[in-house]
Amino acid sequence: MDFDFSEDQVMIIDSARKFLEKECPKNKIRELKEDEKGYDPELWSRMAEMGWMGLILPEEYEGTGMDFFDLTILMEEMGRNILPAPFFDTVALCSLPILEYGTSEQKKRFLPKIACGEEIWTLALTEPSASYEPSGVELRATSLQEDYVLEGTKLFVPYANVADRLLVVARTSQEGITALIVDAGSQGIKTEVIPTTAHDKQCEVVFDKVRVPKDNVLGEVGKGWEIVEFLLQRVSVLKCAEMLGGAQFVLEMANSYAKERVQFDKPIGSFQAIQHKLAEVFINVEGLRRLVYEAAWNISTGSPSRLLTSMVKAKANEVYQQTCIQGVKVHGAIGFTEELDLSLYFLRTKASEFMLGDTGFHRERIAVELEDYQPLFMSV
Amino acid sequence: MDFKFGEKEEKLRKEIREFTKKELPPGWLSSMLEEESDDKEWAFAMSMSKKLAEKGWLTMSWPEEYGGKGASLWEQLVYSEEASYWGIPGVTMGIGGVDWVGPSLMMFGTAEQKNKYLPLIASGEPDGIWCTAYSEPNAGSDFAKIRTRAVREGDEYVINGQKIWTSAAHRARWCWLAVKTDPDAAKPHNGISVFVVDMKSKGITVRPLMNYVGLHIFNEVFFDDLRVPAANLVGKENNGWYQLMHSLGYERGSIAGRCYGYNKRILDELIVYTRGNGLFREREIRHKLADIAVELETQKVLGYETVWKMSKGDSPVYEPSRDKVFNDHILERLAMLGTEILGGYSQIDPLSRNCKWTKLNGHMEKLFWLFLGFAFAAGTDEVELNIVGQFGLKLPKSY
Ligand SMILES: Cc1cc2nc3c(=O)[nH]c(=O)nc-3n(C[C@H](O)[C@H](O)[C@H](O)COP(=O)(O)OP(=O)(O)OC[C@H]3O[C@@H](n4cnc5c(N)ncnc54)[C@H](O)[C@@H]3O)c2cc1C
Ligand SMILES: Cc1cc2nc3c(=O)[nH]c(=O)nc-3n(C[C@H](O)[C@H](O)[C@H](O)COP(=O)(O)OP(=O)(O)OC[C@H]3O[C@@H](n4cnc5c(N)ncnc54)[C@H](O)[C@@H]3O)c2cc1C
C-alpha cells in the first residue's frame, strides 16, 4: 500500500497545472463560451505537442505509452482548470475503445492522427431517451451491400460540431448493437449545437441515410454494447477525475473566500455555520480523491471493477454538485453571479453528471452487483 | 501508487479468519459499546482477550519486549478490520488499554511503569483492564477545564473531584486519569497531569450510569482524598495535555480499520437479510444500500490514507477527526436504514436476547440505540469538524 505519486506523475501534474493556468486562463474559458467552435485549435495543437492526446497510446501509434493512472491525474488537472476542448471526447471516449477493440488496421489508421492532434473524435451514443441503457439505442444501421446505412438521431454528442469522426453506437438487429466509426463529413449528417447551460457544444446529430463502410465496424457486429460497457466501467473514471479536479478547485476558492471576506468584523470562515459546511465538503472531496485513485489504479493494473467504477461515478456526481452548491452558499450573492469563476464550474456539473451515467443509473448498477455478491461472512 | 496489501498482511488476514471460525460461535455478531454491560458477555470478551494475547495479536504493534510483535501499521489495520468485521470481543482491554494507555506509557512512562503495566495489558488478563477518566460534569468537549485536583503531599498526590461517563470503570483494574495539578496555569491546558490509579484504592467510588436502553456502559467516578504514589505520575507534571495529544497518534491507526470492518459487516448482513425477504427488490431499499456501500468504500480508502501518512512517519493532525466524522455519518445512515428494513421488528428491545421475534440478533436495534453515544465518545462531530476546519482547511478558530 503506497499512495505516493511517482516522479513522472508529479511531473505530469506540475506541467499540466502550469500549462493550463498560463494557456487557458479564465477569460479564455469565458471567450470560448461564445466561440462557435468551443475550443481553441491553437491550444489544441500545443496540447498535442505536450503529448497529451497520445499520453497512454503505445509508441507505435505516436503515443508516449504511459498508463491509465497517468491519464487520470492529467484529467484531474483539466478538471481543476476547466479545459474547454474535446479532449475527453477524443482521447477517452474514442481512442481508448479503438486501442482496446480496434483491428490493427484501424489502430494504425486512426490512433496516430489522434495522438498528433490532427483529428477530433467524439462518441455518438445517447439519443432522445437520454439513457445509458442498451434500450436507449434506437438509431438503426441497416446492412446494404458493403455498407451500413444509418438512420436516426443522437443527442448530447459533445463537440460533434467540430469532430472529424464519430464513434456511433447503432442498432444493427433486434438484439444487436454495433459501434461504427463514421466520417463526420459523410453525406446525410446534420449537426446542430444544443443550447446547454454550460455552452459546452453538445450537439444533436441527425443521421439521414448515412452510408458507412462495413470495414468501419469497431469490435464485433452485434457486440457494440461491450464497448459501451468498457466506457462505463473504465473510461468513466477519467470523467470522475475531471470532476474531482473541479471540486478541489471550487473548495479552494470557497475556502480562501471564507478567510478573506469579513462580516460582523470577522472572516466569515470563523463562523461555525460556514466552517462546518466547508469541513464537510473537504471531507467528501478527500474521499472522492482516494476513490478515484483506487479505481484508476485497479484499471491501470489490469483489474477493473464494475462495482468500484459505479461507486466512483455515483460519488463524483454527488460530491461535485454539493461542492459547488456549498461553494456558492459560502460566497453569498457574489456566488450567484457570472462574474465569479465558480459559476464556470457549477454550470458544468450537469454535463459531468450525465456523461456516462447519472447517480441513479450507477446506484442501480451498484445494487445489481450487490445482489449477486457473496459477503465475506458467508464465504469463509 | 499501490492499493494492494503485501503478503504478510494477506497471510494475517487468513489467520484471523481461521481463528474466528474456530473461536466464535456460529453466526456471531457483536456490537460496539456493549461488552462491559453484561457479566456473561464480559467473561466471554475476557476469554477472547486472553486468546488474542496468546496469538500475539492483542498488542501486535508494540515492541516485543513489552509483549508485542512489532507489527507494522498495515498489519495492525488488517487486524482491526478483520477483528471488527467478525466481531471479536475483548480487543481493547477496557477503554484505552491497548490503544492509548500502553502507547503513552511507552512514550512517557518510567521504566518501572512500563515494566509493570505493559505486560499486564499484553497478557489479556483482567489485571490489564483500564478505564479512562477525562470527562467531568463541567468539562466535556472543553476537556482542558477539568477541575479534579491532584495535590502533592510528600511522595504522594492527594486527589479530589469527580469524573463522569467513565466507561468500563466497573470492570477496570486501573484508571488512566487526567487531573489538574496547576489550576492557576495561564492556559488551562498547561495545568493538566496524567496518573495511573489503582481502582482498588481507598477513596474511589464508582456509581453506575445507565444508558437509555438499560446498558451499563459508563459510570460516575468520585475521588475523595484518594492517595496515589508520586511514582504513578505519567511523564511530567503539568505536561499532561501535550502527552495526551501526542499519544493520540497511536490510537489512530486502528480506529479507521475498526470502524470500516464493523460497518462492512452490518452492510453485508443487511444485504443478505433483504435478499432473503425480498425487500432488496424494492428500488428505494436497494438504492439506499448502494449509497451506503459507496460511503463504506470511501471510508475504507480514507482510513488507508491516514494509515499511509502515519506509515511514512507523518503525524496526522486533522485526518483522524475527518475519519471520525465520516464514520459517524455512516453509522447514522446504517442505523436508520437497518431499522427501516426491520420495520415493526425494530421495536423489540435489543437486550431481550431470547425473544423469538428478534431479527439479526437484535443488532440493528442495538446500532440504532447506540450510535449516538458512539458518536459522542472521543469527541463529538461538531468538535471534530472544528478540528477539520482549523487544521485541514486552516480556517480561524470558530469558538
Ligand atoms: C438574487 C438576489 C437579489 C438581491 N437583491 C437585493 C436588493 O434588491 N437590494 C439589496 O440591498 N440587496 C439585495 N441582495 C443582497 C442580499 O441581501 C445579500 O446577498 C445578503 O444580505 C447576503 O450578503 P452577501 O451576499 O454580502 O453575503 P455575506 O454577508 O458576505 O455572506 C457570505 C456567507 O457568509 C455567511 N455569513 C455571514 N455572516 C454570518 C454570520 N454571522 N453567521 C453565519 N454565517 C454568516 C452567509 O450566510 C453567507 O453564506 C440580493 C441578493 C440576491 C442573491
Ligand atoms: C457512550 C459514551 C462513552 C464515553 N466514555 C467516556 C470515557 O470512557 N471517558 C471519558 O472521559 N469520557 C467518556 N465519554 C464522554 C465524552 O468524551 C463526552 O461526552 C464528549 O467529550 C462530549 O462532552 P459532553 O457530553 O459533556 O458534551 P458537551 O461538551 O457539553 O457538548 C454538548 C453539545 O455541544 C456541542 N459543542 C460543545 N463544544 C462545541 C464547540 N466548541 N463547537 C461546536 N459545538 C460544540 C457538542 O458537539 C454537543 O453537541 C463518553 C461518552 C459517551 C456518550
Side-chain angles (χ1 to χ4, degrees):
Chain A
M1 205 73 64
D2 177 16
F3 296 168
D4 264 325
F5 291 123
S6 69
E7 270 176 41
D8 282 349
Q9 287 162 351
V10 172
M11 226 160 72
I12 292 176
I13 296 170
D14 286 350
S15 63
R17 188 165 303 183
K18 281 198 200 105
F19 177 86
L20 289 170
E21 277 170 7
K22 184 158 160 277
E23 304 291 336
C24 191
K26 296 292 186 286
N27 59 2
K28 173 157 220 157
I29 297 169
R30 286 194 165 80
E31 277 165 28
L32 288 172
K33 254 173 89 167
E34 309 309 328
D35 184 83
E36 206 175 307
K37 291 197 192 77
Y39 84 109
D40 172 3
E42 217 174 285
L43 177 59
W44 184 256
S45 3
R46 246 168 298 141
M47 284 160 54
E49 280 161 27
M50 300 278 288
W52 287 358
M53 278 65 150
L55 192 77
I56 80 172
L57 296 176
E59 281 169 30
E60 54 177 317
Y61 307 122
E62 314 287 331
T64 26
M66 300 188 85
D67 68 19
F68 190 87
F69 195 92
D70 302 321
L71 183 56
T72 303
I73 54 178
L74 177 61
M75 284 301 309
E76 185 182 339
E77 289 307 315
M78 291 179 177
R80 182 186 169 86
N81 194 81
I82 298 185
L83 171 67
F87 181 86
F88 177 78
D89 318 288
T90 303
V91 172
L93 292 176
C94 295
S95 84
L96 297 184
I98 294 170
L99 185 62
E100 185 79 14
Y101 293 95
T103 61
S104 62
E105 191 84 340
Q106 288 170 334
K107 289 191 229 181
K108 265 190 251 151
R109 184 167 157 213
F110 298 124
L111 293 179
K113 290 207 173 109
I114 291 180
C116 300
E118 267 174 51
E119 285 192 0
I120 289 171
W121 286 56
T122 191
L123 174 72
L125 167 60
T126 50
E127 299 190 10
S129 64
S131 150
Y132 277 94
E133 301 288 352
S135 60
V137 177
E138 288 179 14
L139 182 137
R140 304 267 334 164
T142 318
S143 170
L144 185 73
Q145 292 139 8
E146 303 302 298
D147 293 339
Y148 279 105
V149 181
L150 307 190
E151 200 58 89
T153 299
K154 291 290 180 184
L155 210 57
F156 304 116
V157 182
Y159 284 107
N161 59 325
V162 292
D164 298 292
R165 286 178 215 273
L166 313 165
L167 184 55
V168 180
V169 181
R171 192 160 286 281
T172 37
S173 64
Q174 187 92 26
E175 296 297 318
I177 287 172
T178 304
L180 296 151
I181 296 167
V182 180
D183 244 322
S186 310
Q187 217 176 31
I189 294 184
K190 221 177 84 207
T191 298
E192 204 172 309
V193 174
I194 304 165
T196 52
T197 336
H199 297 243
D200 55 354
K201 307 300 177 230
Q202 298 194 54
C203 303
E204 175 188 345
V205 184
V206 178
F207 295 78
D208 180 17
K209 303 198 191 68
V210 177
R211 290 177 84 112
V212 185
K214 285 186 173 161
D215 284 350
N216 280 17
V217 168
L218 183 65
E220 282 179 53
V221 173
K223 294 203 172 150
W225 196 257
E226 276 178 25
I227 297 174
V228 178
E229 274 295 326
F230 168 84
L231 296 173
L232 292 171
Q233 288 176 36
R234 303 194 199 184
V235 172
S236 61
V237 172
L238 297 170
K239 181 49 71 172
C240 296
E242 187 188 89
M243 296 165 85
L244 165 66
Q248 175 68 36
F249 189 77
V250 170
L251 167 66
E252 287 172 20
M253 273 190 78
N255 193 34
S256 17
Y257 189 73
K259 289 170 188 163
E260 291 157 13
R261 171 72 170 169
V262 171
Q263 288 289 280
F264 304 99
D265 307 320
K266 284 183 197 151
I268 57 170
S270 68
F271 301 125
Q272 210 162 58
I274 294 292
Q275 189 167 130
H276 284 189
K277 247 193 255 306
L278 286 167
E280 295 275 12
V281 166
F282 175 57
I283 291 171
N284 275 309
V285 173
E286 292 220 312
L288 176 61
R289 160 160 296 109
R290 286 303 145 198
L291 269 191
V292 167
Y293 292 171
E294 184 190 26
W297 184 82
N298 282 349
I299 292 167
S300 259
T301 53
S303 40
S305 148
R306 187 184 153 101
L307 175 64
L308 183 58
T309 303
S310 280
M311 286 177 161
V312 181
K313 186 65 176 29
K315 186 78 180 168
N317 284 350
E318 182 199 304
V319 171
Y320 197 15
Q321 171 164 283
Q322 267 308 309
T323 304
C324 287
I325 291 176
Q326 301 307 328
V328 169
K329 285 191 192 171
V330 167
H331 279 84
I334 186 81
F336 192 60
T337 63
E338 191 180 36
E339 192 178 316
L340 193 76
D341 290 344
L342 205 161
S343 65
L344 297 170
Y345 292 81
F346 193 21
L347 293 180
R348 277 172 170 75
T349 53
K350 287 295 153 208
S352 305
E353 281 163 35
F354 176 67
M355 174 58 73
L356 295 179
D358 62 18
T359 313
F361 174 83
H362 283 285
R363 230 184 239 138
E364 182 61 21
R365 284 169 73 92
I366 295 164
V368 167
E369 295 296 311
L370 295 181
E371 187 155 21
D372 290 333
Y373 118 116
Q374 170 88 339
L376 178 59
F377 76 89
M378 296 182 75
S379 56
V380 172
Chain B
M1 203 64 52
D2 183 357
F3 276 84
K4 221 170 58 251
F5 283 106
E7 269 172 39
K8 242 169 127 181
E9 288 100 27
E10 294 299 354
K11 186 165 155 273
L12 175 64
R13 234 185 242 291
K14 263 182 66 191
E15 281 172 31
I16 299 169
R17 288 177 188 176
E18 280 156 21
F19 173 87
T20 57
K21 220 163 125 187
K22 189 162 144 257
E23 304 292 348
L24 294 175
W28 172 261
L29 258 176
S30 93
S31 338
M32 53 191 173
L33 290 176
E34 207 201 357
E35 61 197 37
E36 59 258 44
S37 184
D38 178 87
D39 286 346
K40 246 176 64 197
E41 305 245 336
W42 180 254
F44 182 57
M46 283 312 307
S47 74
M48 292 306 289
S49 302
K50 181 82 197 145
K51 285 176 183 160
L52 292 171
E54 280 159 6
K55 283 275 180 194
W57 293 340
L58 188 63
T59 51
M60 63 159 62
S61 63
W62 298 9
E64 278 176 41
E65 53 176 320
Y66 300 126
K69 275 187 157 181
S72 72
L73 286 161
W74 293 113
E75 289 172 281
Q76 199 190 339
L77 172 83
V78 163
Y79 163 70
S80 307
E81 263 183 27
E82 292 292 326
S84 60
Y85 183 87
W86 298 104
I88 304 176
V91 297
T92 54
M93 295 305 283
I95 303 302
V98 173
D99 289 340
W100 57 84
V101 174
S104 298
L105 287 173
M106 280 180 240
M107 289 174 86
F108 303 105
T110 61
E112 198 187 324
Q113 288 169 342
K114 289 182 211 177
N115 292 331
K116 178 168 177 189
Y117 302 113
L118 295 176
L120 279 178
I121 299 172
S123 73
E125 298 281 357
D127 275 350
I129 296 291
W130 290 73
C131 64
T132 292
Y134 296 159
S135 305
E136 297 184 6
N138 290 310
S141 302
D142 195 3
F143 157 68
K145 305 281 170 58
I146 54 172
R147 292 181 198 163
T148 295
R149 192 74 172 90
V151 180
R152 179 135 194 173
E153 281 186 16
D155 48 11
E156 284 183 333
Y157 282 85
V158 180
I159 298 180
N160 279 290
Q162 184 201 340
K163 294 290 172 178
I164 194 167
W165 323 124
T166 320
S167 302
H170 54 304
R171 303 284 180 194
R173 180 69 183 76
W174 308 100
C175 178
W176 183 251
L177 176 67
V179 296
K180 268 275 149 83
T181 32
D182 180 5
D184 304 320
K187 279 178 70 187
H189 308 78
N190 297 335
I192 294 170
S193 302
V194 175
F195 284 89
V196 170
V197 173
D198 185 340
M199 287 299 282
K200 290 184 179 165
S201 322
K202 234 180 72 198
I204 299 184
T205 312
V206 176
R207 198 177 76 80
L209 286 165
M210 302 309 257
N211 100 309
Y212 45 43
V213 281
L215 287 171
H216 179 191
I217 298 164
F218 43 38
N219 306 270
E220 289 179 286
V221 182
F222 299 89
F223 305 98
D224 298 299
D225 289 332
L226 165 72
R227 303 189 87 82
V228 175
N232 285 21
L233 172 70
V234 178
K236 283 194 267 175
E237 202 182 74
N238 297 326
N239 196 37
W241 176 272
Y242 165 83
Q243 291 168 203
L244 293 181
M245 291 304 121
H246 247 73
S247 61
L248 275 181
Y250 276 91
E251 163 196 1
R252 292 165 174 169
S254 50
I255 298 295
R258 214 176 273 165
C259 293
Y260 169 70
Y262 176 85
N263 297 340
K264 179 83 167 101
R265 177 63 179 274
I266 295 185
L267 178 66
D268 281 358
E269 294 282 347
L270 287 175
I271 289 170
V272 172
Y273 182 81
T274 52
R275 290 198 305 214
N277 69 6
L279 267 181
F280 194 90
R281 265 176 268 130
E282 283 186 27
R283 191 181 164 87
E284 191 194 337
I285 295 290
R286 69 170 183 270
H287 279 197
K288 282 186 185 172
L289 287 165
D291 272 344
I292 293 185
V294 176
E295 294 308 282
L296 284 200
E297 187 64 24
T298 312
Q299 168 172 50
K300 184 182 87 178
V301 284
L302 273 178
Y304 288 5
E305 184 201 62
T306 305
V307 170
W308 165 68
K309 285 183 180 167
M310 290 169 63
S311 74
K312 293 201 309 177
D314 296 350
S315 175
V317 181
Y318 71 88
E319 289 89 343
S321 296
R322 169 192 78 184
D323 298 349
K324 166 89 170 38
V325 172
F326 206 80
N327 188 53
D328 289 342
H329 292 342
I330 290 176
L331 281 182
E332 180 165 342
R333 286 173 77 167
L334 273 175
M336 293 184 27
L337 179 58
T339 47
E340 179 185 345
I341 283 169
L342 291 198
Y345 294 104
S346 63
Q347 302 172 87
I348 292 173
D349 183 345
L351 300 191
S352 65
R353 275 159 235 277
N354 302 319
C355 173
K356 66 179 175 188
W357 299 111
T358 299
K359 304 291 180 197
L360 289 170
N361 292 345
H363 211 67
M364 294 311 138
E365 299 92 314
K366 278 179 207 159
L367 174 61
F368 188 86
W369 297 118
L370 294 177
F371 81 89
L372 286 161
F374 195 71
F376 297 152
T380 65
D381 274 2
E382 291 78 15
V383 167
E384 301 293 1
L385 284 171
N386 290 341
I387 295 174
V388 173
Q390 260 172 269
F391 299 99
L393 292 169
K394 311 272 191 299
L395 285 164
K397 193 171 167 182
S398 65
Y399 55 96

